[in-house]
Amino acid sequence: MSGKPFYITTPIYYVNDVPHIGHAYTTIAADVLSRWHKSGGDDSYFLTGTDEHGQKIQTVAEKKGITPIELCNEVVQNFERLWKALNIQNDDFIRTTQPRHEKVVQEIFRRLMASGDIYKGEYEGWYCVPCETYVPEAQMAEGQTCPDCHRPLTKMTEETYFFRLSKYAGPLIKFYEEHPDAIMPKERYNEVVSFIKSGLRDQSISRTTLKWGIPLPGDEKHVIYVWFDALINYLSALGYPEPGEKWEKYWPAARHLVGKDIIRFHCVIWPAMLLALGLNPPVRVFAHGWWTVEGEKMSKSLGNVVDPFEMETLYGVDPFRYFLLREVPFGHDGDFSELALVQRINSDLANDLGNLLSRSLQMIDKYREGMLPAFGAQTELDKEIETLGEKTVADMDALLDRFAFDDALKALWAFVSRANKYIDETEPWKLGREGDVERLDAVLRTLWEALRLSAVLVAPFMPDTAARIWSQLGLEGEPGAGARAAWKWGEGGEGIKVNRSGILFPRIDIEKWKKEKEQRDLEKRAKLDPTAFFKYQEPKPQIEYDDFAKLDLRVALVEKVEVVPKADKLYVLNLDLGNEKRVIVSSIRENYKPEELEGKKIIVLCNLKPAKFRGVQSNGMLLAAESPESRYEVLTLLTVMDDSIPAGSRIS
Ligand code: MSP
């Protein structure tokens, strides 16, 4: 393909879980960008894939009694099936267990070892097995637990190979200062730059505690750390480092889409690895936000994980794709609500776009027996529609250059609405009655042009819909690669007969939908095994009453909640305990807003030895209940039923 190279990637997904809305979101966004660039004549290359090594996969395979590769081969099919269902047009699919990837990881390791960027050393630290990371002491949560998943950490000492990350702090800062758009949105850019400025430590990149990984060349006791392995997919899929392979063309145009949780891997470790290899860091890493579901965190134990297959079956692939990108600005967190999706189908899709098509085609059928009028003289008003169409193309291109999907769609819908208003202004039915054939023809042709342009512009977002509009307009094929580059207002159209067939988006009856949704929810809840989640928790040995009596548990009133600078999970809680005031540091910032806590009575373990978190002394611990399932933890603080009980009251 000729045209400007554009390389777009998604994270490679872990195969220890079924695909959910988070996976669908990034992949759809990447697909839209790739299709947009292809439509504009660029040479786009779109990569997705799966991350198949590491502790998590080994553990899940063990639980299932199968080998890790058997697990991978099974789960990868869910992803492949989903991408088909969601109409994803990726150019390649990489699996980190493929030999083409493994050999590149080993080659890169060898090169960096030879250049002195990797060295052998020893590492001691607190390790979180499920998250596969060491947690620095300053970031540890209460009771030596992981600040991310809240599970207990294990102290480990390992012989390990280090990547000399510290050496690249300066070059990275320089790169980011020179490339302010290399990390988006801006908050993430600032976050990463200040993280690098606070100093970088060398990164351990090998493990001896695990088998399921790529063997380290020359020292087979070790396997390569899963993130070092995984990040390399973006190059190995392009045939790096073979001369003449795709990487030479596409790597300089690399853009990564990632979730906000994995930004440091992509904006600190990965670019440093690239600099060490003498390659440019990615042109851009864009970190999108996270979806909650109907206002709640997505969690397996709550049973509210949005199944993209189900959404596709219920509402169709295009409305689902449209909704995800229209509803929430890319980069912000957002809430997934099926009602909001249904409302968008009714308003944006059925009312605005669907109506424009059906009204226009009906009139071409009625007044012209379906034959498209030739393009001819235009009035000021017709010209205005054309000019707005051209402006919409340019605006959308500029917005999508910054991955502002929602604004790009808003711009397109402003054009669709303008075209709908044009029908009301020109009143073609009056022109028909009055026999003003010439003016009527110009109006019908303007509408057809507006629809043709809408199909071209909507195609990357809703490819099936665009193809349906295209065929109803009487056009051949579909508005795919090159369509936007080739598009011109008023061109061609000789001898075209429109082909009205069926409603684009049938309206959904909200009342009926609500009843069906209730029924679906009931069925889902019934299917959830209510005991499944407790099976995760080993019972603890019996204790004497005296053991329990050692705990000094009390009711505390939360007076004031403050954040700990630079610790995005921690709060400092100022508590009233009746006869004393106390400060407790707790990692519940992701679960509660300060105003949700202030004024509440909670339960505190008072006689726990004080400990320091990020330099702040914590005198005790809050009690909370926590669901143990998945990485989307649910955590809720314990409180008292009768709020009139005074702060300081003992619990027994
Ligand atoms: N394997 C790593 C990525 C390696 S890339 C070299 C990984 N995989 S993952 O399967 O756990 O997560 C993939 C992506 O899903 C992440 O970008 C993450 O942000 C995203 N999401 C997970 N839950 C999400 C939501 N609730 N909402 C939006 N995206 C979320 O991390």
Side-chain angles (χ1 to χ4, degrees), residues 117 119 122-126 134-139 161-169 172 195-205 268-269 272:
D117 280 301
Y119 64 93
E122 202 161 71
Y123 191 90
E124 189 194 63
W126 292 96
Y134 280 97
V135 176
E137 284 201 26
Q139 282 168 24
Y161 287 79
F162 284 96
F163 170 59
R164 230 178 262 288
L165 185 61
S166 56
K167 172 176 154 193
Y168 290 96
L172 283 177
F195 175 76
I196 301 172
K197 283 188 174 158
S198 74
L200 296 180
R201 297 202 355 214
D202 291 348
Q203 171 73 35
S204 154
I205 54 157
V268 182
I269 300 177

Side-chain angles (χ1 to χ4, degrees), residues 20 76 177 206 214 237 248 271 276 301 334 382 414 422 451 455 471 563 566:
H20 57 63
V76 75
E177 276 168 359
S206 77
I214 300 179
E248 290 180 351
S301 45
D382 305 348
Y422 171 85
L451 279 160
S471 111
V563 300
K566 288 200 200 139

Side-chain angles (χ1 to χ4, degrees), residues 567-588:
D568 49 16
K569 308 237 159 60
L570 296 184
Y571 273 146
V572 176
L573 289 103
N574 294 280
L575 305 174
D576 180 359
L577 275 147
N579 58 349
E580 62 159 318
K581 305 269 180 190
R582 231 179 227 257
V583 169
I584 290 186
V585 182
S586 178
S587 57
I588 52 170

